[in-house]
Amino acid sequence: MEVTTRTVGDVTIVAIHGSLDSNTAPEAKPSLDAVGTSPARKVAVDFSGLDYVSSAGLRILLGLAKQLSAKGGALRTFGLNQSVREVFEISGFATILKAFPTEADALNGF
Amino acid sequence: MSAAFQMMIGSAPGEVAAVLDAFACFATPNRMPDAMRRDLLVVLDELLANVVMHGVGTQPNGQASVTVQLLPDAVTVAVADNGPPFDPLARAQPDTTLSVDERPIGGLGIYLVQRLVDDVQYARDAHHNVLTLTKRLPDGWSPDSEGAS
């Protein structure tokens, strides 16, 4: 699991590679917390390199969404594979973490 | 054809990850479809993290066995732990309609498991909690079929 962060205009893009599960979510959390506590208000999470996500991964994503919501920001996601999308839909996260097909779609009108 | 693997885990850090790695190494040569492999990795992570928290991790000699079987038409997963009686299926279902500010953090794991597999059963058997799951393979799948990966 690897987390990389870059910016495009005023949007912070957080790419998560590998998997987000009970073992890797604690490793990813400091990187997400750093984004959540930074001045960044527009954050897009790039899942194009993510194999799967379990509830431990959803928890840290919800934590980031709550941090952004508290400062009037917003979280978007893109590049979800079918399994990740399925987990998002079952858990109801699809409505919380707005998912877009591509990076361009996610940045459009953000 | 059928294939299987079994592992034991205790409560040491990294043991759940070792099972997930072993499962991934089992899935690939057996041509398990990607969607199936990913769903079962999620299921194993949820179940084993739960077992470590509620069962294995609560006592000095806690351990759990994980058995995965690839059958011609389905994959079965059995997790047996020697922890105190704990039926994860008895928990209330989370409200998945709440907004970001209303959502409690947690409580989703076992609900995901129930939705990602076709059947899940809990039994208390001779001082063990036993969870048995079945997930059907796609119609027409075989380890030799085109597109099995």
Side-chain angles (χ1 to χ4, degrees), chain B residues 35-93:
Chain B
M36 185 102 179
R37 174 185 60 81
R38 289 169 171 150
D39 284 355
L40 288 170
L41 281 164
V42 173
V43 164
L44 283 169
D45 187 54
E46 302 298 353
L47 289 183
L48 298 178
N50 235 6
V51 157
V52 168
M53 192 189 314
H54 295 284
V56 172
T58 62
Q59 52 191 351
N61 300 315
Q63 59 175 14
S65 69
V66 185
T67 309
V68 177
Q69 282 189 291
L70 177 59
L71 305 174
D73 59 346
V75 175
T76 63
V77 176
V79 177
D81 72 86
N82 61 355
F86 177 71
D87 178 0
L89 307 180
R91 286 185 62 169
Q93 291 199 346

Side-chain angles (χ1 to χ4, degrees), chain A residues 25-41:
Chain A
E27 297 168 16
K29 191 173 185 299
S31 304
L32 297 191
D33 280 343
V35 172
T37 55
S38 76
R41 289 163 55 126

